[in-house]
Amino acid sequence: MGRTAAWPMTTWRAAAGDFGGSARGGPVGGVLLGLLAALAAVASVVELTAARGPLPRLAAERLQQTAGSGVLGVQLLFAVGLFGAATALPLLRLRPAAAGPAVTAAVLGTVGAFHTATAVGTVAVLLAHYRMGRTGRTPLALGLALPFPLLALAAAADTDLRVRLWLLAALAPVAATAGLHRRSRAQRAAHERTRALALGAVAENAVRAERARIARELHDVVAHHVSMIAVRAETARLATPDLPAQGAERLLEIGDAARDALAEMRRLLGVLREDGRAAPARAPQPGLAALGELLEQARRAGGGTVRLVVRGTPAPLDPGAELAAYRIVQEALTNARRHAPGAAVEVELHHTATALELRVRDHGPGPGGGPRPGGGHGLTGMRERAAAVGGTLRTGPGPGGGFAVTAHLPRGEAR
């Protein structure tokens, strides 16, 4: 269907469109253009014969009126007249700067040799002027249109010829103007495309600059302080005399947590600094497979029991949903360690056919019926992460006491 529909469009463009250089429709377009030119020549000769009589007799009469007799002269005048009669749609295959003068000369030759302007010649002149306007050669087109009103004034005795010449004198500048208008529209469209690309590049550069600024702030401020925490915890553990074993273990856990935070920070900085040209080498984002290590860190840091309960049949999740689930569990465990230190924590994953139901509940004192103390952006960040993957998140008192974070995350398409 595509090739069948494209064939007439391709050949039409080759035959009636630009006509510039080689046929744009390939071999088929060239054949069609040749047939069209032959038909135009036949139509012009038939039109000229009907209006003025047989061409050889007319050519001989014209020759006798102007230059006497002579076989060579008759043949030459006949060839010039026939060329002018066919006028030449084929001449439109030339480039616009050459096609315009050539077609105009052919029409003027027809007028001079046979006192007529064929319909094909009229169409060829209008197409040539349109093409000159399209290529920005409007002054040339207007200059080539000047002979037509002069010849129309001189052809006062021939009404048909005078009408055709006045028609050419009126429509040729219109055709050139139409081509110029089309050229202006194309230039405006190209300008708008360039402007849109430039604005897009400016916006993209602004986004990259802002991401780079955020990355610098994170590196210069947050990463610096976190690294200092790791260094001081390690220094305190090694330099404090008679430090109890439990205290040394706590300092070691602080240093490990700070180093893990630095690793996460480097991963985030890599994402912010990525410009799409070369992806930085960095570890993959954590998912549900890394929950075991996360829970073990929470046990060491909080000193309480952390239990994982899995229900249903585990199945792969969309990477975004897996990352959201991991971060929600991570933030919920941090909140439990901050607001219910030493309390037992239960992490429950319920896999269904369409979603992952996630709940993190501590057995601490609970929120006391109001917002959980110690505020910040933790709960808001968890809600945003859930919403980003099309899920929901609820927080509040847990069944039987404590505080619970419950999230519903659609399964999506695993990749």
Side-chain angles (χ1 to χ4, degrees), residues 355-373:
L356 171 66
E357 303 290 344
L358 169 65
R359 185 175 72 171
V360 181
R361 173 179 172 245
D362 65 62
H363 294 270
R372 194 145 206 201

Side-chain angles (χ1 to χ4, degrees), residues 30-40:
V31 171
L32 183 63
L33 183 58
L35 292 176
L36 184 61
L39 290 175

Side-chain angles (χ1 to χ4, degrees), residues 19 39-40 47 56 67 73 165 285 313 319 352 356 376:
F19 288 97
L39 290 175
E47 179 185 358
L165 290 173
Q285 294 283 13
T313 303
T352 68
L356 171 66

Side-chain angles (χ1 to χ4, degrees), residues 4-343:
T4 304
W7 182 81
M9 180 62 68
T10 302
T11 52
W12 167 251
R13 285 176 179 170
D18 190 17
F19 288 97
S22 60
R24 301 226 176 150
V28 175
V31 171
L32 183 63
L33 183 58
L35 292 176
L36 184 61
L39 290 175
V42 171
S44 296
V45 171
V46 170
E47 179 185 358
L48 187 60
T49 301
R52 301 294 179 182
L55 294 184
R57 179 175 59 80
L58 183 59
E61 292 175 355
R62 293 294 300 153
L63 185 60
Q64 290 174 359
Q65 293 174 6
T66 57
S69 60
V71 177
L72 182 61
V74 172
Q75 293 176 347
L76 179 61
L77 186 59
F78 178 72
V80 171
L82 185 60
F83 175 74
T87 14
L89 229 43
L91 288 178
L92 291 176
R93 287 178 62 89
L94 301 174
R95 295 188 179 276
V103 171
T104 303
V107 172
L108 295 178
T110 306
V111 173
F114 299 115
H115 284 189
T116 190
T118 63
V120 174
T122 302
V123 172
V125 168
L126 297 181
L127 288 176
H129 279 68
Y130 175 80
R131 290 182 62 211
M132 285 187 287
R134 278 291 305 271
T135 54
R137 295 176 173 86
T138 309
L140 175 61
L142 296 178
L144 291 175
L146 289 177
F148 298 122
L150 299 178
L151 290 175
L153 292 174
D158 192 332
T159 303
D160 180 71
L161 177 61
R162 187 170 69 253
V163 169
R164 295 196 181 202
L165 290 173
W166 277 119
L167 189 66
L168 280 172
L171 294 183
V174 173
T177 305
L180 182 62
H181 177 67
R182 181 71 180 274
R183 173 185 173 87
S184 299
R185 287 182 58 187
Q187 288 177 337
R188 284 197 301 270
H191 174 73
E192 289 298 325
R193 287 193 297 269
T194 303
R195 183 172 179 271
L197 290 174
L199 291 177
V202 170
E204 184 179 353
N205 289 335
V207 170
R208 288 180 179 174
E210 181 64 14
R211 290 173 64 173
R213 186 190 67 80
I214 294 173
R216 287 194 302 270
E217 293 293 330
L218 288 173
H219 179 271
D220 295 342
V221 179
V222 182
H224 172 74
H225 289 299
V226 173
S227 63
M228 289 302 298
I229 292 172
V231 171
R232 289 180 179 177
E234 189 68 16
T235 302
R237 184 177 68 85
L238 297 175
T240 303
D242 301 327
L243 181 66
Q246 187 175 9
E249 183 179 354
R250 292 288 183 237
L251 289 174
L252 181 61
E253 291 172 356
I254 292 172
D256 291 341
R259 282 185 285 272
D260 290 341
L262 281 175
E264 292 286 342
M265 184 70 65
R266 293 190 188 97
R267 186 181 295 116
L268 177 60
L269 292 178
V271 173
L272 288 174
R273 286 171 174 158
E274 183 178 352
D275 60 1
R277 292 171 293 182
R282 57 179 186 269
Q285 294 283 13
L288 296 180
L291 276 183
E293 182 180 353
L294 178 63
L295 298 184
E296 182 59 32
Q297 292 174 359
R299 292 188 190 99
R300 293 198 305 265
T305 302
V306 181
R307 189 165 70 101
L308 175 64
V309 178
V310 180
R311 305 182 189 278
T313 303
L317 290 174
D318 177 83
E322 283 223 15
L323 177 61
Y326 180 90
R327 295 303 187 196
I328 289 171
V329 172
Q330 185 181 43
E331 181 63 27
L333 291 175
T334 301
N335 284 346
R337 186 165 64 246
R338 182 184 302 126
H339 302 295

